[in-house]
Amino acid sequence: MAIYGGIEAGGTKFVCAVGSGPQDIRDLVRIPTTTPSETIGLVIDFFSKHKNLSAVGIAAFGPVDLSNSPTWGYITSTPKPGWAFTDLAGLIGRALKVHVGFDTDVNGAGLGEHRWGAAQGLDNFVYLTIGTGIGGGGLINGKLMHGLVHPEMGHVLIPHDKLADPYKGHCPFHSDCFEGLACGPALLERWGQPAEVLPANHPAWALEARYIALALHNYICSFSPQKIILGGGVMEQPKLLPLVRQNVQQLLNGYIHAKAIERDIENYIVPPKLGKQAGVMGAIALAIQAHKIVQ
Ligand code: ADP
Ligand code: ZN
């Protein structure tokens, strides 16, 4: 049976796994994201212990270069100190002498959910993470969402009632885009407490649900996804998901005639079935895809 390497390359840690899927993880390590040379060096050391990897998949924080160009596989203009224009896929692929599958963290997680999780059998779905940042990906017509660059669903603009919510927003590029209003650090800045300690009855959650639902309304109208998977640390507040579903139905106001939205929304807007493993399993799924392409 073929064995793969998967790297969930995040802004705070790199999770690396060896295996062939959620039921077959043979080794796993978490490496802090420090400097590119230190972190990538430790990643290479970890995988060097495992011979006969058929391919390695990397699901990376971005923006990343997915185009057919000499800088394919790079992390590009990230504000993360030291990491801008890092040849992530190239350094790892050359050191390990393996084929590399490379995509955004959210496209990777979406591919993992498609192979093993909540999106099995679907050709059109959105995977959204709401954590330190907000990002979205998934499949359209059976293919990972790519384009000019890749989607930046966290940076869509949504209505911001500045009287009801005077908080200016956290995005360094757009201030009050969706991410600027609704990412974890925005909750901390607006309410003075980290999202994980805000109690379930705090008004933060009604506002948060509204912002998430406004963005989902736009994705539903744009891509007509068959399912929406919501991951990321902020979604761990248990009250949030039911509030998001209610707000989506209210905003769409019966316009889109689909049983999934009108009568089965609990199975339409869902958490990742792979849970916290969605990211690293997505990276393994990218490795499997890359291996199939070269075979
Ligand atoms: P990252 O986006 O860095 O990969 P996460 O998806 O874990 O990481 O998201 C981190 C964010 O999630 C932080 O802003 C944190 O405040 C928030 N968070 C973590 N746990 C919870 C929780 N139980 N409830 C609400 N928010 C949480
Ligand atoms: Zn933005």
Side-chain angles (χ1 to χ4, degrees):
M1 186 201 254
I3 297 298
Y4 302 92
I7 305 167
E8 178 189 3
T12 50
K13 61 182 185 313
F14 277 41
V15 185
C16 304
V18 171
S20 62
Q23 308 308 327
D24 175 37
I25 302 172
R26 302 178 183 201
D27 200 1
L28 188 133
V29 71
R30 290 185 179 81
I31 295 167
T33 310
T34 56
T35 62
S37 60
E38 185 175 51
T39 304
I40 295 171
L42 291 170
V43 168
I44 291 167
D45 288 348
F46 170 75
F47 286 110
S48 301
K49 292 182 293 184
H50 296 274
K51 305 299 170 203
N52 305 322
L53 294 178
S54 295
V56 167
I58 307 174
F61 70 96
V64 294
D65 190 344
L66 305 177
S67 67
N68 188 7
S69 79
T71 50
W72 174 89
Y74 277 57
I75 290 177
T76 60
S77 54
T78 177
K80 190 166 177 63
W83 284 84
F85 299 97
T86 298
D87 182 12
L88 187 59
L91 288 168
I92 291 171
R94 284 192 298 273
L96 299 173
K97 298 189 177 57
V98 285
H99 291 290
V100 175
F102 182 75
D103 218 304
T104 61
D105 43 9
V106 279
N107 266 345
L111 195 65
E113 288 292 322
H114 185 252
R115 185 169 270 275
W116 297 295
Q120 290 175 62
L122 302 182
D123 279 343
N124 295 280
F125 68 92
V126 167
Y127 181 98
L128 193 74
T129 183
I130 303 169
T132 308
I134 298 183
L139 301 194
I140 290 184
N141 294 339
K143 289 189 143 180
L144 284 173
M145 291 186 195
H146 292 170
L148 182 64
V149 210
H150 51 75
E152 286 286 2
M153 291 190 218
H155 295 267
V156 294
L157 301 178
I158 53 174
H160 176 198
D161 178 348
K162 291 184 180 155
L163 286 176
D165 173 25
Y167 173 59
K168 67 182 186 337
H170 190 263
C171 176
F173 292 89
H174 322 110
S175 298
D176 62 351
C177 64
F178 175 34
E179 175 175 293
L181 291 170
C183 66
L187 288 168
L188 169 63
E189 225 169 62
R190 181 188 290 110
W191 302 106
Q193 298 179 70
E196 56 271 36
V197 305
L198 290 168
N201 61 359
H202 193 284
W205 298 115
L207 187 67
E208 182 72 5
R210 189 74 181 170
Y211 287 144
I212 295 169
L214 285 162
L216 298 194
H217 175 113
N218 293 337
Y219 309 147
I220 291 166
C221 294
S222 304
F223 309 128
S224 207
Q226 295 159 302
K227 197 171 280 238
I228 296 176
I229 304 171
L230 296 182
V234 172
M235 290 310 301
E236 297 203 9
Q237 164 54 247
K239 209 179 155 192
L240 190 52
L241 188 56
L243 281 175
V244 169
R245 291 175 179 139
Q246 269 174 29
N247 273 270
V248 165
Q249 282 177 324
Q250 189 194 39
L251 285 165
L252 287 171
N253 197 24
Y255 180 67
I256 294 184
H257 285 281
K259 178 172 159 278
I261 293 173
E262 290 174 322
R263 293 195 300 281
D264 196 21
I265 197 147
E266 289 76 17
N267 291 312
Y268 182 65
I269 303 174
V270 298
K273 207 166 174 181
L274 299 174
K276 288 188 189 302
Q277 283 190 346
V280 72
M281 283 304 114
I284 298 263
L286 287 170
I288 296 172
Q289 190 183 61
H291 186 214
K292 281 197 181 131
I293 290 169
V294 295
Q295 267 182 333

